[in-house]
Amino acid sequence: MSILDIIKDTNITFEQRVLGLARAAENSIDVLEMTDYVKEYREAGIICDLFEGNAPYRPRYILPDYDKFIKGGCEFLNITPPTDIWEATNNLLMFYKHVPSITTMPVYIGNIDYLLEKFVTDENEDECYRAIKLFLKHIDTTITDSFCHANIGPRETKAGMLILKAMRELELPTPNLTLKYSEETTNKLAIESINTALVTAKPSFAKDSMYREDFGGNEYGIVSCYNGLEVSGGAHTLVRVRLGRLAKKATNKSDFMENVLPKVAHEMLGYIDERIRFILEESVFFQVNFLVAEGFIKKEKFTGLFGMVGLAECVNHLMELEGKNGRFGSDDLANELGENIVKTLTKIIKDHKCKYFESEEKKHLLHSQVGIETDAGESPGCRIPIGEEPEIFEHIVQASPFHKYFASGIGDIYSFDETYKKNPQAILDIINGGFNMGLRFFSMYGSDCDVVRVTGYLVKKSEMEKLDQGKVVLRDTTILGKGARDNGRVLDRKLRKK
Amino acid sequence: MRRAKINKIIKFSNVDGPGNRMSIFFQGCNYNCLYCHNPETINMCNSCGTCVGSCPVGALSIVDSKVCWDKKLCVECDRCTNICLIDSSPKTMDYSVEELLKEIKKVSGFIRGITVSGGEATLNYEFITELFKEVKKLGLTTFVDTNGSLDLREDIYSEFIKVTDNFMVDMKVWSEKKHKDLTGVDNLSVKKNIEFLGELGKLYEVRTVVVPEFLDNLETVTEVSKLIGSINSKNQLDERIIYKLIKYRQIGVKKENLEGKLLDLTSPADEIMEKLSKVAKENGVQKVIII
Ligand code: SF4
Ligand code: SF4
């Protein structure tokens, strides 16, 4: 898009325009070293850095230590620790505006229930409810991007319950929400969460014990779509491979497994490292930003993300090359091939050492990417193509072996009809069963809500309709959602009837 | 080994008792309700062969003068069940207790219990007794959905009742005459069973389908809720008996019946359901569910 096109676009807000212009400026220079292979595969749309830009000047995802901020305030912003709920919510809102990301808006806003809990008492609950509602409404209108993600739990708190209640009442897409779910989570909090999800498509459930293990017991957060990352850290970059397109480069299955796939993985890792080099060595983010200087984030807690989409299409193509007609999602052989592809990638990533990481142990993480609006013909991550999903039970059994490979995010979305509102316990039984089978993340929505989960982020159906009619809408993710709906049939997701 | 004809298994059901459950529908019923929503479960197939030619994908065949159904080929078009003259289905499966248990074990991590339904499940009470004994060993709860027509106070059912955690009983209409018109049998044992199971603390739910203009819904709801109310106050249990009011829906009802007596009948409006729910609550039912 030319500068003038951005200036003249009638479908975007002022903010989106400024952002578009900044992107255009960044993309007017070429400063990253790339091999010919990476250049060619980027051109072909097989390797894709998701519009991160040609000269990355901040990490993609940042997870500040908000707990430290609530306890100690911030010198640079001249904010002292809060004494009540109004100061606490206001302090956070001020801070959020200074947390950059790839979209320029924060993708992680903290375990907001724990952050606010000490200000909520039995006596001031009504007042806190008002404060929390204003807080959430403020986030939705100023952080106009559904990649903004809050966490709650695993413990039940008064603040957590108020947050869920407010979300049910507001029915707004931002912020996205995940409940960290563990043995500590009460049945009441779990059921309240499910009831909320059936109204407003959030929270998702994250299996706390699995993430804790993957992050060596360190504090983690669920951010953006559903990326799991370390608190006080984040991810410098996310580069992904479109496996469906990549498969077309192979002459047969073994060519793919032995040559095509390892080659693309090594090249991608090199490219991820190059982007990290630029952020660390040339951009000045880690030298000058107050988040670093005051210890809200630490360089050594950042990683790089290796994303993948279109496993289903890749497997189906390879099966065809083998003269077999089994399809990913329903055929054992095809599912096995899918898992082998993921295993191969996992091993290559584990064996790779990024020379810009100080610790030997620090590795890039595999991410099952949900896809973007231009991904016609490529299913998100390891998901079964929409419309081909089996019954929920088979679906969970099929999906569960994949989850262990993706410390930094994978998830399936299950849609439930309105009868579940009368029996949310049934959904909890399914989630518990799924987590016991190996799932790490579970998203759901009610088939009758306005806010729906498109791929990883949330949009309002009513806003998509507005956009269809050529009107300006507040959230950039609505535009992404519309693309996913038109190209990916996301709203036809299989409904879970009884 | 005892065997039973199963019409359908729903692996995950959220409307047949607490939490997520596996529902097993037995073939065969001793009622013949006008508004039956799944008439193909009423009778046992006699392998007459009428339906075989109707299958568009060749999923039906006759082997050794018995109708055989190939589940893998079937596209669930329901032509066979629509054409069957005796309200049956060629798509039933024959299970032993062991075979059924195998199916249950596949999903046991996701469910908190089993609900047997029908048709009329209790006609297979001996099979179910054997099944439930095994199901309990898996740590799952056992529920029975019944039309309440068999007199469960009789001795022969004592073992069956012992292994069943809870019952869900249909009370279609309070008036005996209307009940006979609608189902073909009177409802005396239904009323007795509700009292009996209620006193045992094994009555989870009573269900009534609300059909406006056709049945005296107000009378039924009033009387049933009084009955539930009196059991509730006698028992003083924490778990209150649920009264589930179900909207009549045309879907699944036999065409002849829709064209005959049920002509023009539509689903009841929300206001009617709300009004009935209020009546039930006033009569001492704490938990009313409308679906
Ligand atoms: S299902 Fe009905 S039509 Fe088909 S063989 Fe059995 S009795 Fe005959
Ligand atoms: S429901 Fe199945 S068996 Fe019956 S006619 Fe249709 S395809 Fe054939």
Side-chain angles (χ1 to χ4, degrees), chain A residues 292-339:
Chain A
V292 184
E294 292 191 34
F296 295 113
I297 51 175
K298 299 190 173 73
K299 192 167 71 178
E300 61 275 16
K301 287 197 172 267
F302 281 78
T303 184
L305 295 179
F306 185 111
M308 45 152 287
V309 285
L311 183 65
E313 287 71 18
C314 171
V315 167
N316 290 345
H317 182 72
L318 296 177
M319 291 293 282
E320 272 166 41
L321 288 182
E322 297 292 289
K324 300 196 175 102
N325 49 16
R327 287 180 68 80
F328 182 75
S330 54
D331 179 77
D332 287 346
L333 220 62
N335 291 340
E336 209 174 286
L337 175 57
E339 193 172 345

Side-chain angles (χ1 to χ4, degrees), chain B residues 35 37 171-175 178-179 182 206-226 243-249 262 265-269 271-280 283 288:
Chain B
Y35 61 51
H37 288 72
M171 182 73 244
K172 299 187 188 279
V173 52
W174 191 260
S175 133
K178 245 325 201 191
H179 196 272
L182 180 73
V206 180
R207 304 164 158 186
T208 294
V209 177
V210 175
V211 196
E213 291 163 54
F214 184 65
L215 298 174
D216 190 345
N217 306 298
L218 185 61
E219 181 191 48
T220 306
V221 171
T222 308
E223 295 302 328
V224 171
S225 48
K226 275 187 195 157
Y243 192 11
K244 194 178 258 177
L245 301 175
I246 303 168
K247 285 182 183 177
Y248 163 78
R249 293 170 176 90
L262 298 183
L265 279 190
T266 48
S267 289
E271 299 85 78
I272 296 181
M273 302 302 286
E274 287 303 332
K275 211 182 116 203
L276 291 171
S277 159
K278 212 173 138 231
V279 170
N283 285 315
V288 184

Side-chain angles (χ1 to χ4, degrees), chain A residues 191-256:
Chain A
I191 293 297
E192 194 77 348
S193 295
I194 290 169
N195 284 334
T196 307
L198 290 177
V199 174
T200 186
K202 60 193 170 185
S204 298
F205 279 57
K207 185 178 176 185
D208 187 60
S209 59
M210 205 161 166
Y211 284 95
R212 283 203 184 279
E213 206 183 310
D214 285 337
F215 290 104
N218 292 334
E219 211 42 58
Y220 71 95
I222 304 292
V223 320
S224 187
C225 288
Y226 49 48
N227 308 59
L229 290 166
E230 255 184 80
V231 169
S232 303
H236 290 295
T237 178
L238 164 57
V239 180
R240 60 173 201 156
V241 54
R242 289 179 67 169
L243 292 171
R245 283 201 185 175
L246 181 72
K248 305 256 160 68
K249 297 270 180 189
T251 47
N252 55 41
K253 189 177 92 183
S254 55
D255 181 36
F256 183 82

Side-chain angles (χ1 to χ4, degrees), chain B residues 51-52 54-60 68-71 73-81 89-91:
Chain B
C51 59
V52 173
S54 72
C55 180
V57 292
L60 300 175
C68 288
W69 170 58
D70 188 336
K71 192 176 176 183
L73 288 179
C74 175
V75 293
E76 296 293 346
C77 71
D78 290 341
R79 283 192 207 176
C80 52
T81 47
S89 164
K91 298 186 285 174

Side-chain angles (χ1 to χ4, degrees), chain B residues 44-52 67 80 83-86 88-90:
Chain B
M44 292 297 173
C45 167
N46 60 17
S47 285
C48 72
T50 310
C51 59
V52 173
V67 166
C80 52
I83 213 168
C84 176
L85 296 170
I86 63 157
S88 188
S89 164

Side-chain angles (χ1 to χ4, degrees), chain B residues 31-45:
Chain B
Y31 278 11
N32 191 358
C33 300
L34 270 176
Y35 61 51
C36 180
H37 288 72
N38 36 11
E40 74 282 359
T41 64
I42 296 176
N43 292 312
M44 292 297 173
C45 167

